[in-house]
Amino acid sequence: DGGITQSPKYLFRKEGQNVTLSCEQNLNHDAMYWYRQDPGQGLRLIYYSQIVNDFQKGDIAEGYSVSREKKESFPLTVTSAQKNPTAFYLCASSMGLSFSNQPQHFGDGTRLSIL
Amino acid sequence: GQNIDQPTEMTATEGAIVQINCTYQTSGFNGLFWYQQHAGEAPTFLSYNVLDGLEEKGRFSSFLSRSKGYSYLLLKELQMKDSASYLCAVRDGGSARQLTFGSGTQLTVLP
């Protein structure tokens, strides 16, 4: 079955530590996205990538970094510069910009907490 | 920029009909999506509107008025499993065509 796989499901970060969240898709989608969701709030865009080897900052990119070396993979690193990283992180993918009526499909999320 | 407003919470009874409203103010518009999200899970796609009018899909319907910046999601024959958060998301008209999400409406279905 095609889909988006995020790992791990739960992650704990120590002070001063960088952590990387994995996102893999086998839907052959060109575009991939990372969102952050805080309790009782909507999704806020961190980074997105429309094509391999290219990515753009979203609304809340500070303290995060990404890479897009392969079409299937879009890992997110939460750096020590992100002072309030506790949140639910969702990865999504969609067909390219030519398919504007196509929805984004989401992974099951990673819940990140501070130790 | 985009601004999207939805009610924070709604309660309805099993078997009833509920309408969840969404208003938006955007610098461009290229479609509106509704997603359902159960607690701790991924959002799942429900509907898409880009032209004015009603889109029906089983027990779920979604309406759009672009001139009023207004949409609603209509859920009929409510079931307990419909208890979830419902997210309205607008795709902007820029080159990136990003989605901006509302804060979601938490629907509780009572027996």
Side-chain angles (χ1 to χ4, degrees), chain B residues 74-92:
Chain B
L74 193 71
L75 291 75
K76 303 176 188 175
E77 302 168 15
L78 280 173
Q79 301 174 11
M80 300 295 289
K81 68 178 182 179
D82 297 329
S83 292
S85 181
Y86 291 85
L87 305 173
C88 172
V90 174
R91 175 166 277 155
D92 70 25

Side-chain angles (χ1 to χ4, degrees), chain A residues 27-31 33 93-99 102-103 105:
Chain A
L27 298 167
N28 199 32
H29 284 168
D30 287 319
Y33 312 82
S93 71
S94 69
M95 298 176 75
L97 292 180
S98 301
F99 305 92
Q102 295 299 309
H105 298 268

Side-chain angles (χ1 to χ4, degrees), chain A residues 37 42 45 48 97 100 104 107, chain B residues 35 37 42 91 95 97-98 102:
Chain A
Q37 187 175 34
L45 184 65
Y48 64 97
L97 292 180
S100 59
Q104 293 181 12
Chain B
Y35 284 84
Q37 185 181 25
R91 175 166 277 155
S95 60
R97 296 186 184 169
Q98 298 177 39

Side-chain angles (χ1 to χ4, degrees), chain B residues 55-75:
Chain B
E55 293 283 341
E56 297 187 78
K57 195 184 288 186
R59 293 190 299 116
F60 293 62
S61 303
S62 57
F63 172 83
L64 176 69
S65 169
R66 289 172 295 170
S67 61
K68 295 182 179 178
Y70 168 69
S71 174
Y72 67 72
L73 180 69
L74 193 71
L75 291 75

Side-chain angles (χ1 to χ4, degrees), chain B residues 20-31:
Chain B
I20 302 174
N21 295 325
C22 171
T23 58
Y24 62 90
Q25 296 154 337
T26 63
S27 56
F29 179 83
N30 199 31

Side-chain angles (χ1 to χ4, degrees), chain A residues 35 37 40-43 45 48 50 88 90 97 100-104 106-107 111, chain B residues 30 33 35 37 40-43 45 48 87 91 95-99 101-103:
Chain A
Y35 293 93
Q37 187 175 34
Q41 296 190 30
L43 281 65
L45 184 65
Y48 64 97
Q50 297 171 12
F88 189 45
L90 286 160
L97 292 180
S100 59
N101 64 336
Q102 295 299 309
Q104 293 181 12
F106 288 84
R111 193 165 297 279
Chain B
N30 199 31
F33 294 81
Y35 284 84
Q37 185 181 25
E41 298 183 8
F45 169 70
Y48 170 75
L87 305 173
R91 175 166 277 155
S95 60
R97 296 186 184 169
Q98 298 177 39
L99 279 184
F101 285 81
S103 298

